[in-house]
Amino acid sequence: MNVLKTNTFQENLNQFLVRFIDLAAKYDHTINHSSEFEVLIDDYSKFIINERNKEAWKQLEQQESSDFNQLVEDLRKKSALCVAIMEKYRALKLLNGTTERTDYFKNIESCIEKEFGQFQITSESKVLLVGSGSFPMTPLLIAKRTGAEVVGIDIDDEAIKLGRNVVEKLGGDLNIRLKKIAVENLEYADELTHIIFSSTVEDKYDILDQLYTLTNENVVVAMRYGNQLKSLFNYPIREVDGEKWRMVENILRPDHVFDIALYKKA
């Protein structure tokens, strides 16, 4: 990998960061600028899963540059913010009568069906999604396909409000609840059979640690994450306390924007 290619790669990252910062500042709780967001997120998704970018990533990562590490951290935060905003755009459009899907959403939805590998969700399951967002795709798809009870939590008031409206429109008869609540305040945590963490939840491993004492011994956790190049778009995997959790499966998806680590109690 020559210097020119790594420089071009890093310049592309800088340009993405500038675009993310610019567009995030434009969000005004309407669908203005939604098309710009869709183009940017789709471009970024394709960049993340492009095999040709892996070598440049490895070269820059090996240099252990503080500037590059800061760029990666900034991109991860700003892209997560912009994904959250794009979900708001999608919710607002749906509620105004528009239902198209971007390539990013198609990529995410194609991940959901086999998310738990051998630990399948049934109509008797009780599922928690941490980081449900404004367009709760995962709760809708799970509840519709399995009949399971699904609870989504988020820290964003606007996301909860929009998400509830989306659920009412697309799945008013489904057993889905969305709440702004911390996991330690969940009254039914010990009844959960499956837990899903959105890949853009920064403190997901801290929350996983909290859930250990709150949940039953058979709960299965799907931790969405992104390492290496995918860490530009997702918070990466972390070591867990081996006395509490063990990884039982690592589902790698080269053509998707995040991978999935499955955990059970040790």
Side-chain angles (χ1 to χ4, degrees):
M1 175 64 62
N2 60 43
V3 174
L4 178 61
K5 287 186 178 180
T6 55
N7 286 346
T8 300
F9 177 84
Q10 190 159 352
E11 180 56 34
N12 284 335
L13 295 185
N14 280 306
Q15 290 175 5
F16 274 122
L17 180 58
V18 169
R19 292 169 69 189
F20 281 130
I21 292 172
D22 177 60
L23 280 181
K26 292 181 178 180
Y27 178 62
D28 61 358
H29 310 280
T30 73
I31 61 172
N32 292 332
H33 310 291
S34 62
S35 59
E36 297 172 67
F37 263 88
E38 290 165 4
V39 169
L40 174 55
I41 297 296
D42 285 346
D43 286 349
Y44 197 57
S45 300
K46 291 170 185 174
F47 185 87
I48 296 305
I49 62 175
N50 189 334
E51 290 284 331
R52 291 176 294 182
N53 291 324
K54 286 187 174 181
E55 188 59 34
W57 165 267
K58 289 179 182 177
Q59 292 290 328
L60 287 167
E61 190 179 36
Q62 288 170 1
Q63 293 176 15
E64 297 184 349
S65 162
S66 59
D67 288 343
F68 180 67
N69 292 339
Q70 186 62 53
L71 175 59
V72 170
E73 184 177 339
D74 291 344
L75 268 169
R76 190 182 296 140
K77 288 180 179 291
K78 292 301 181 182
S79 62
L81 172 61
C82 286
V83 165
I85 293 173
M86 196 172 73
E87 286 196 11
K88 293 178 180 181
Y89 282 133
R90 188 185 186 192
L92 289 166
K93 284 186 171 185
L94 173 75
L95 299 173
N96 288 326
T98 307
T99 58
E100 82 274 7
R101 291 189 303 168
T102 67
D103 288 343
Y104 168 78
F105 284 120
K106 292 175 185 176
N107 186 289
I108 296 297
E109 288 171 12
S110 67
C111 293
I112 294 171
E113 190 164 0
K114 298 179 180 178
E115 184 140 35
F116 281 97
Q118 61 181 307
F119 304 102
Q120 290 299 308
I121 296 171
T122 71
S123 60
E124 302 301 314
S125 301
K126 189 165 187 173
V127 185
L128 172 68
L129 173 62
V130 180
S132 52
S134 303
F135 201 103
M137 296 177 288
T138 299
L140 284 164
L141 287 170
I142 288 176
K144 186 173 292 185
R145 292 178 184 175
T146 68
E149 177 182 354
V150 188
V151 177
I153 61 175
D154 204 288
I155 61 173
D156 184 332
D157 287 314
E158 185 181 20
I160 291 294
K161 180 179 178 181
L162 287 171
R164 286 171 176 167
N165 289 336
V166 168
V167 168
E168 181 63 29
K169 187 173 182 68
L170 297 181
D173 58 334
L174 300 174
N175 194 356
I176 299 173
R177 288 175 290 153
L178 303 179
K179 296 183 174 185
K180 182 182 179 183
I181 189 173
V183 292
E184 60 266 27
N185 295 324
L186 287 170
E187 297 177 356
Y188 38 78
D190 60 339
E191 301 174 15
L192 296 171
T193 60
H194 300 74
I195 301 170
I196 303 171
F197 282 89
S198 294
S199 64
T200 54
V201 173
E202 183 174 3
D203 56 349
K204 56 192 177 186
Y205 276 95
D206 296 328
I207 297 173
L208 176 65
D209 194 62
Q210 285 181 277
L211 283 165
Y212 178 77
T213 57
L214 302 174
T215 51
N216 66 72
E217 62 181 11
N218 296 313
V219 69
V220 183
V221 177
M223 182 70 75
R224 297 173 178 175
Y225 75 94
N227 283 353
Q228 289 87 46
L229 193 59
K230 292 182 183 181
S231 71
L232 290 165
F233 210 178
N234 311 276
Y235 286 92
I237 203 167
R238 272 174 40 185
E239 289 291 325
V240 294
D241 184 341
E243 295 184 358
K244 294 181 178 179
W245 299 99
R246 62 186 175 91
M247 187 190 298
V248 293
E249 191 172 352
N250 192 14
I251 304 171
L252 300 177
R253 298 172 177 266
D255 297 327
H256 295 85
V257 293
F258 61 75
D259 299 311
I260 302 162
L262 295 182
Y263 297 95
K264 292 202 73 177
K265 289 190 175 179

